[in-house]
Amino acid sequence: MTDDWRLILRDFSVSCARILLHMCAVSNLKILLTRDQIAQRIKEMAAEITRDFKGEPVILVGVLKGAAIFLGDLARHLDLDASFDFIGVSSYGNRPSPTHELKHGWDSTGEVRVTKDVDQSMEGKNVILVEDILDTGLTLTFLKKLFLAHKPKAFKIAALLDKPSRRKLPIEGDYVGFKIPDEFVVGYGLDYAEKYRNLPDVCVVPRE
Ligand code: IMP
């Protein structure tokens, strides 16, 4: 066998092993919320938001990257003049990796920083901050303070998921899709080390 063929075969077996590992990881995931449940609940949330802001323009500000899919689906059910913006945040190096978080949990000092700012002024606007999940509440507490300082006309929080048992700071969403138990979830925008965001259902990652 030539060296070229050996290299091709080696690359092929490495790729197969990777695909198998990925398939095992995905098959361990358990569906918590199906795509149909999510779609139905988002319609209800959008109807509520449409009623509350009847006839007024709103800016949907998605928190990157997890809220992108939720924002897209929510927006398409709003019967309002809606524009989009996005903000990026990160926890100041004190949030452990998902693997560590799954096994040991974590304690945060609550430092959050903006990695991508919004593109427009929020002053006098109806702002709806769109987040994938409300967990400890550190991110949304930080963002709420930040947005209120810009004097919007109205400020509301729409969160697809809420883990109330994990809360460290007293903050609630104005529009909440589902309250869920203390599990690490992925799919529908949520990730585990940047993977699984594109799964159409919300799934639980087993702790072991
Ligand atoms: P908080 O500041 O603790 O409320 O965290 C909010 C952020 O933590 C979310 O925007 C997610 O990025 C991340 N997060 C919290 N829980 C989960 C989870 O179960 N799966 C994936 N990401 C999560």
Side-chain angles (χ1 to χ4, degrees), residues 22-38:
H22 180 71
M23 282 166 67
C24 289
V26 170
S27 62
N28 273 339
L29 302 177
K30 296 212 168 38
I31 294 183
L32 179 69
L33 299 165
T34 66
R35 61 202 81 180
D36 291 344
Q37 287 174 297
I38 298 168

Side-chain angles (χ1 to χ4, degrees), residues 5-103:
W5 270 107
R6 257 194 213 103
L7 278 176
I8 289 169
L9 274 175
R10 196 201 59 191
D11 286 352
F12 180 70
S13 35
V14 169
S15 303
C16 288
R18 282 208 183 116
I19 290 168
L20 270 174
L21 272 174
H22 180 71
M23 282 166 67
C24 289
V26 170
S27 62
N28 273 339
L29 302 177
K30 296 212 168 38
I31 294 183
L32 179 69
L33 299 165
T34 66
R35 61 202 81 180
D36 291 344
Q37 287 174 297
I38 298 168
Q40 177 55 36
R41 184 69 190 115
I42 287 178
K43 270 190 209 164
E44 293 166 5
M45 293 172 85
E48 212 181 319
I49 296 173
T50 300
R51 260 197 319 273
D52 289 355
F53 287 94
K54 203 170 170 42
E56 295 207 29
V58 295
I59 305 179
L60 303 177
V61 181
V63 184
L64 292 170
K65 306 171 196 166
I69 294 179
F70 173 41
L71 185 145
D73 284 349
L74 183 70
R76 280 178 288 176
H77 290 291
L78 288 179
D79 190 9
L80 293 171
D81 167 6
S83 56
F84 296 177
D85 211 322
F86 290 93
I87 189 159
V89 288
S90 102
S91 305
Y92 250 124
N94 49 19
R95 185 152 205 154
S97 70
T99 319
H100 185 282
E101 185 171 341
L102 269 170
K103 288 198 177 132

Side-chain angles (χ1 to χ4, degrees), residues 118-156:
V118 288
D119 297 332
Q120 58 194 292
S121 162
M122 297 290 144
E123 195 174 335
K125 312 268 178 68
N126 293 313
V127 177
I128 302 174
L129 191 61
V130 182
E131 174 66 306
D132 52 2
I133 187 164
L134 185 46
D135 186 25
T136 62
L138 298 172
T139 307
L140 285 181
T141 301
F142 169 84
L143 286 175
K144 183 173 182 179
K145 202 168 155 199
L146 189 75
F147 278 87
L148 289 181
H150 288 270
K151 307 213 177 318
K153 180 176 177 194
F155 176 81
K156 300 282 181 193

